[in-house]
Amino acid sequence: MKQALVDDTEDVSLDFGNEEELAFRKAKIRHPVATFFHLFFRVSAIITYVGCDWFSKSFVGCFVIVLLLLSFDFWSVKNVTGRLMVGLRWWNQIDEDGKSHWIFEARKVSPDTVAATEAEARVFWLGLIVCPMIWIVFFFSSLFSLKLKWLALVIAGISLQAANLYGYVLCKVGGESDISKVTASFLSRTVFQTACPSDFQKPGLEGLEIHKH
C-alpha cells in the first residue's frame, strides 16, 4: 500500500532587510555635520576655558570667546542637532496669562524620513550629559582656588548646557511631573546603555507627539 508523502513544511520569508537596517543604524552616522557641531562648540568652549591663560592674557577676550561658543552650542543643540540626531525638539513659550509652558515634540518615523542611528543617539546623549558635569567641576575648582572672576562665566556654562539637558530629558520622558526621579533613572540608564549597548534595544519614535507641561 502506497502512502502519499505530505510536505508539511512552510516557506519562511527571511527579512534580511530589517537585519541590514538594524546593523546600519548601529554602525553608521547619517548626519555627520550635525554630529560634528553637536560636540564642536561645547568641546571648544571647554578647551578655550582651560587654555585661555596660555592662549591670551586678556580676560575679557577669553570671556567673550567662551560665552559666544556656549551660546552657539545652546542654539545649535536646541534647534538643530537634537532634531536631526535623536528626533526630539523642545521649547518654552509664555501664554497670554504669563504662564510658562514646556513644549515637546518627537519626530514621526516613516519610510520617507531619515531615522537617527544608535551611534548618533549615543554621541548626542553623552555630549549632553558629560559636558555640564565638566562645567560643574570648573565651578568648584574656581570657587576653591578663589578665581572668582571666572565664576560668572562658569555659571553661564552650567546654565546654558543644563537647560538643554533638562529640556531634552523632559522631551524624552514626555514631560513627567516627577522629574527628579525620572531624570535620575534616565541618566543612569543612558550611561549604562552607552557602556553596554548590546544589552539594550532602543525603541523608535512613533508618531508626532507634542506634549505641553
Side-chain angles (χ1 to χ4, degrees):
M1 182 177 182
K2 294 183 180 180
Q3 295 181 347
L5 297 178
V6 179
D7 186 6
D8 58 352
T9 60
E10 296 181 358
D11 293 333
V12 179
S13 60
L14 299 178
D15 193 355
F16 291 105
N18 291 337
E19 294 181 0
E20 292 177 358
E21 182 181 357
L22 182 60
F24 181 79
R25 289 194 59 190
K26 288 183 177 180
K28 298 293 184 180
I29 292 180
R30 306 180 76 171
H31 304 96
V33 177
T35 304
F36 171 77
F37 282 105
H38 177 70
L39 298 176
F40 174 75
F41 290 123
R42 56 185 48 214
V43 172
S44 297
I46 292 173
I47 294 175
T48 304
Y49 174 82
V50 171
C52 62
D53 290 335
W54 302 338
F55 301 150
S56 173
K57 297 299 182 181
S58 174
F59 168 75
V60 176
C62 293
F63 189 98
V64 171
I65 291 174
V66 174
L67 191 59
L68 284 175
L69 289 171
L70 289 171
S71 301
F72 291 153
D73 170 73
F74 177 81
W75 184 89
S76 63
V77 172
K78 179 179 178 295
N79 296 295
V80 181
T81 62
R83 177 173 53 86
L84 293 177
M85 296 176 67
V86 291
L88 299 174
R89 186 170 61 179
W90 68 272
W91 65 93
N92 185 276
Q93 69 180 21
I94 308 297
D95 61 14
E96 296 178 353
D97 298 328
K99 294 181 180 179
S100 176
H101 296 280
W102 289 81
I103 313 271
F104 310 103
E105 184 178 274
R107 180 177 56 204
K108 182 186 296 185
V109 175
S110 67
D112 297 331
T113 59
V114 179
T117 66
E118 291 187 11
E120 287 178 337
R122 200 172 301 125
V123 170
F124 178 83
W125 288 111
L126 270 181
L128 206 65
I129 294 169
V130 172
C131 290
M133 294 181 178
I134 295 176
W135 283 105
I136 292 175
V137 173
F138 290 161
F139 173 81
F140 287 107
S141 65
S142 299
L143 186 63
F144 293 144
S145 62
L146 300 179
K147 295 182 179 179
L148 301 182
K149 65 180 182 179
W150 293 103
L151 280 180
L153 181 60
V154 173
I155 292 174
I158 295 173
S159 301
L160 290 172
Q161 298 200 352
N164 261 328
L165 177 60
Y166 180 79
Y168 276 111
V169 170
L170 278 179
C171 189
K172 182 70 174 179
V173 301
E176 295 288 343
S177 57
D178 194 355
I179 185 60
S180 59
K181 293 182 180 179
V182 173
T183 301
S185 174
F186 173 75
L187 294 181
S188 61
R189 185 172 66 249
T190 301
V191 173
F192 187 72
Q193 179 174 347
T194 303
C196 306
S198 60
D199 297 336
F200 294 85
Q201 183 176 358
K202 292 180 187 268
L205 296 172
E206 297 180 359
L208 179 62
E209 300 179 357
I210 300 179
H211 307 276
K212 286 189 177 182
H213 180 64

